[in-house]
Amino acid sequence: MPDRAYSEQEIAQILHRALERQDAEAEKRRGPAEGLNVDELERLATESGIAPEHLRAAAAEVDRPSTPRRETTTATHNLVERTIPGHLNAAVWDDIVADLRGLIHMPGEDTATAIGTTYEWRHTNKSGITTTATLTLRDDSVALRLSQRVGIASLLTESLLYGGLGALLLALVVGKVNDLALLQGVALFAALLVGLSTPLYALLTSWRKKMHRRIGDMADRIEAFITAASVPVETSTPVSDAHVKALLDLPEEEPPSTTSPSTANRTRA
């Protein structure tokens, strides 16, 4: 090897290539991969200090088909849809409802109903934000649909509406104080409308995205309950310990306020 100093980039390239060569040599010595069956995995897990029941539960989860999922947004709603392999009964539904009530963290009223093979939970907070979870039983899966109404109109329309109310109020006050002419008042209103609506649009966009992420987290929790309940009893682990361990910290959150007093008291439809 030349007796010279290597740059940081050259050192990184040398180390990366050396690791590639070492891995390739090790792969040749191992020969073609044949894999391990469950019994061999169980023996390996036992040697590593992993309880056999946890290994078999993990293997059962890996064998389960992936969950088809779709997330969309409309002018007024955030939507999350999933088809979860597994089963649902009244006891699991009660656990899901209790968990959702703890997660929502927004004062309001909620209802839980079960009609035939369809279960529905609906929560409406004081600002009119409605969150609905609908679970429908199928042959070997549960269809989940989470819907959350986050606005009365599109982002642009809401931004112009709230910004327009604030701009109108301010223009009237300033025009009254300064005795502005009609054209001056119109020009002032237009300037205020742009100045208020632009940051409102950005604020509402960020808030809706945050709410969408949160119902995605709620869907993860529901899926964890269904998955845990569908693992065979002899290999399953408690839902609260193994599958729904981390509690989401969802602080109470209301829609962004506007600069207009009349807007602040507006109840979202």
Side-chain angles (χ1 to χ4, degrees):
M1 180 177 293
D3 186 12
R4 71 178 181 88
Y6 294 94
S7 67
E8 291 185 2
Q9 183 177 1
E10 289 172 330
I11 292 172
Q13 291 175 346
I14 291 171
L15 293 177
H16 179 72
R17 181 56 184 154
L19 287 173
E20 285 183 340
R21 292 174 60 87
Q22 178 176 291
D23 290 342
E25 183 65 25
E27 188 67 28
K28 289 180 182 179
R29 290 197 298 266
R30 283 196 297 267
E34 296 180 356
L36 300 174
N37 58 34
V38 174
D39 292 333
E40 291 170 332
L41 277 174
E42 186 173 328
R43 287 196 298 271
L44 182 60
T46 302
E47 294 173 0
S48 303
I50 301 175
E53 61 269 21
H54 291 296
L55 180 121
R56 289 185 175 271
E61 292 179 10
V62 170
D63 289 338
R64 294 168 64 83
S66 59
T67 302
R69 56 185 63 192
R70 183 167 70 97
E71 298 187 6
T72 58
T73 58
T74 67
T76 58
H77 287 75
N78 289 327
L79 302 170
V80 174
E81 295 178 314
R82 298 184 185 181
T83 301
I84 307 169
H87 307 282
L88 178 65
N89 55 40
V92 177
W93 171 241
D94 289 341
D95 291 338
I96 290 174
V97 170
D99 192 63
L100 291 175
R101 285 171 175 165
L103 290 175
I104 198 68
H105 280 278
M106 291 189 294
E109 298 181 355
D110 75 291
T111 59
T113 59
I115 302 176
T117 59
T118 299
Y119 298 79
E120 182 178 277
W121 175 80
R122 182 186 298 268
H123 177 277
T124 303
N125 76 347
K126 294 180 179 180
S127 296
I129 300 175
T130 301
T131 306
T132 305
T134 305
L135 289 82
T136 304
L137 299 182
R138 295 178 178 172
D139 292 338
D140 55 356
S141 63
V142 179
L144 166 64
R145 187 177 192 272
L146 266 171
S147 170
Q148 189 171 69
R149 184 182 180 90
V150 290
I152 59 174
S154 68
L155 281 168
L156 180 59
T157 301
E158 279 199 344
S159 301
L160 291 174
L161 174 62
Y162 299 149
L165 289 174
L168 179 61
L169 180 62
L170 289 174
L172 289 175
V173 172
V174 174
K176 182 76 172 178
V177 172
N178 296 278
D179 194 21
L180 299 179
L182 178 60
L183 289 179
Q184 291 176 316
V186 171
L188 176 62
F189 170 78
L192 289 172
L193 176 62
V194 174
L196 292 175
S197 298
T198 300
L200 273 173
Y201 184 88
L203 182 62
L204 287 170
T205 299
S206 175
W207 178 75
R208 288 195 184 194
K209 287 181 178 179
K210 181 183 294 185
M211 297 299 286
H212 198 178
R213 289 194 298 270
R214 289 186 172 179
I215 66 168
D217 292 337
M218 294 173 68
D220 290 339
R221 296 291 295 263
I222 294 173
E223 183 174 344
F225 274 100
I226 294 173
T227 299
S230 301
V231 174
V233 175
E234 66 272 14
T235 62
S236 64
T237 54
V239 172
S240 57
D241 292 335
H243 296 279
V244 199
K245 185 178 180 181
L247 290 176
L248 299 177
D249 183 15
L250 301 179
E252 177 180 343
E253 183 163 350
E254 300 294 335
S257 60
T258 67
T259 56
S260 169
S262 59
T263 305
N265 295 326
R266 185 182 181 87
T267 302
R268 302 172 74 94

